[in-house]
Amino acid sequence: MKPAWLIVAYLAAVALPLIVSWLVGGPPRPFREELASGLGILAFTMILMEFVLSGRFKSISNGVGMDVTMRFHQMMARTALAFALLHPFLYRGAPSGGQRPWDPTRQLTITTDFSDLSTGIAAFLILPTLVLLAIGRTQLDVKYETWRLMHGIGALLVAALLLHHTIYAGRYGSLPVMTWLWGAMTGMAIGSLLYVYLLVPLRDKARGWRVTSVNRLTPKQWELTVTPDGHSGLEFKAGQFVWLNVGHSAFSLKENPFSISSAPSAGPEVSFIIKELGDFTRTVGQIEPGSVAYLDGPYGSLSIEGRDEPGVALIAGGVGIAPLISILRQMRLTDDPRKVKIIYGNRLEDQIACRDELDAEDVTYVLTEPPQGWQGARGFIDAALMDRVFSPTEFKEWIFVMCGPAIMMNIVEDHLIARGTPSSHILSERFDYD
């Protein structure tokens, strides 16, 4: 699906409850009360849409890129949080006491029943916690799988609380047409969770994989290879990634995203370059051949398939070489005639992966802590280095594909734009957003 259509679809979905409320809601109240209700409606709608923007729907994430999808997911979550926090403070006075027969249309008060307000108050307290935990999860000493489960349950709880609060405490939510609309949209959000956590595992369970080899590439990097178990394999583009689950049930939350390092044309086996960083990755070397594995994917848009630029620049930092080596391998297997230049940055020389393969290419190695006698580039991948590697014509005509630490990609992207590289010629994949 094209990015423009995705934006239109998102805006239409977010605006729908607001428009319907305006059409069927009766006489307007003072502006401040209408603004309060409007912000509440928008916040709830955006929260429900967050379930769809989770990154696990290929028609969305593959259309605009996983990094764009997840960044948008984060931005909209914070915007919804701001609307939700502001919403109750715009109403005049705190509703309390018994029934108020002089206000049958709820133009002066929302409700007088604390049980109807309490679900909104609970959501008001849980939502900021959910967003703050997402922002700071990398600083927390919590396993990724644990955080993911907490995030999913918390989001589901917030949606259920807000559905009750909106229908029973809202002026517009109690209208029959709005009750049906909110129910349908909440059902869609819950359905997206069922798709990710039930339907996808059911599908993957029938398409299992087996680990064929686990080889050490560098002191802390491994190449893990899996082969399809009774099926034809995975159709993917060079540069894409999958969610990999090794040694667990298809329904397990113990899955992690890894870029594919093998080429689509190399056969049914799929390989990954995995660096020891977290709980799972530190145990990769202990995985036994024959272990069961499940792949959910492919995802991502870091692909040069169908592109016709005269040259390809591959810029990697650390384990970011994984999707780029897949692209390079695919180009060589398909006899792609285009010229390729590679910049590959690491901290130490023994962290360079696939060196024998890369030495056959036009490659520039960059080390921040080079050994004595190092003949390659020193320091970081920066503007000066890029100006030495690429000509003015290459900056303007080639396609630049990069993957690595966020600070490296920020520097590279900024310099490419400054040197006149069209934004459509810059492909990047980010896995950290804050």
Side-chain angles (χ1 to χ4, degrees), residues 129-328:
T129 305
L130 201 63
V131 174
L132 290 174
L133 286 175
I135 293 173
R137 75 172 178 86
T138 55
Q139 287 74 43
L140 299 174
D141 188 19
V142 178
K143 290 184 178 181
Y144 169 76
E145 295 84 2
T146 303
W147 171 83
R148 183 181 169 198
L149 179 61
M150 292 169 54
H151 192 71
I153 293 175
L156 185 60
L157 180 59
V158 168
L161 290 169
L162 288 179
L163 177 63
H164 178 273
H165 175 72
T166 301
I167 291 176
Y168 290 98
R171 179 198 186 197
Y172 299 108
S174 61
L175 299 171
V177 64
M178 291 303 301
T179 299
W180 279 101
L181 179 59
W182 286 123
M185 295 190 72
T186 304
M188 176 196 66
I190 296 174
S192 69
L193 280 184
L194 293 176
Y195 172 80
V196 171
Y197 293 106
L198 181 61
L199 296 183
V200 169
L202 278 174
R203 178 200 65 196
D204 293 344
K205 185 175 177 59
R207 295 176 58 84
W209 298 70
R210 294 286 175 179
V211 175
T212 55
S213 64
V214 182
N215 299 316
R216 187 189 294 272
L217 298 179
T218 71
K220 289 191 175 183
Q221 291 185 103
W222 301 81
E223 182 180 57
L224 183 146
T225 302
V226 297
T227 190
D229 188 5
H231 57 92
S232 59
L234 179 73
E235 293 186 10
F236 68 96
K237 299 176 182 178
Q240 291 189 299
F241 71 94
V242 301
W243 288 81
L244 176 65
N245 171 353
V246 180
H248 302 284
S249 161
F251 299 91
S252 173
L253 294 179
K254 294 182 178 180
E255 57 176 358
N256 295 272
F258 292 107
S259 295
I260 300 172
S261 58
S262 54
S265 298
E269 287 192 333
V270 175
S271 297
F272 308 91
I273 295 176
I274 300 175
K275 184 176 181 179
E276 296 180 15
L277 290 171
D279 297 301
F280 165 71
T281 57
R282 280 195 288 264
T283 66
V284 170
Q286 303 170 21
I287 296 175
E288 296 289 339
S291 298
V292 65
Y294 298 100
L295 276 57
D296 175 25
Y299 294 96
S301 57
L302 197 72
S303 170
I304 64 170
E305 186 174 305
R307 307 291 298 241
D308 59 1
E309 289 84 356
V312 179
L314 304 175
I315 304 176
V319 76
I321 192 63
L324 306 193
I325 200 74
S326 174
I327 293 173
L328 179 65

Side-chain angles (χ1 to χ4, degrees), residues 1-80:
M1 189 178 293
K2 297 293 185 181
W5 284 110
L6 288 172
I7 293 173
V8 171
Y10 178 84
L11 292 176
V14 169
L16 180 61
L18 197 64
I19 294 172
V20 175
S21 298
W22 174 67
L23 291 174
V24 302
R29 297 169 294 176
F31 174 76
R32 184 168 169 173
E33 277 71 18
E34 292 295 347
L35 178 61
S37 290
L39 290 178
I41 291 170
L42 285 175
F44 187 25
T45 312
M46 293 168 74
I47 289 169
L48 294 177
M49 292 301 297
E50 288 294 278
F51 288 81
V52 182
L53 294 174
S54 63
R56 299 299 286 268
F57 294 90
K58 295 177 186 177
S59 59
I60 298 176
S61 59
N62 290 2
V64 299
M66 177 64 79
D67 51 348
V68 175
T69 303
M70 293 311 298
R71 170 58 77 184
F72 191 70
H73 172 83
Q74 291 177 328
M75 291 176 58
M76 293 303 99
R78 296 168 196 183
T79 302

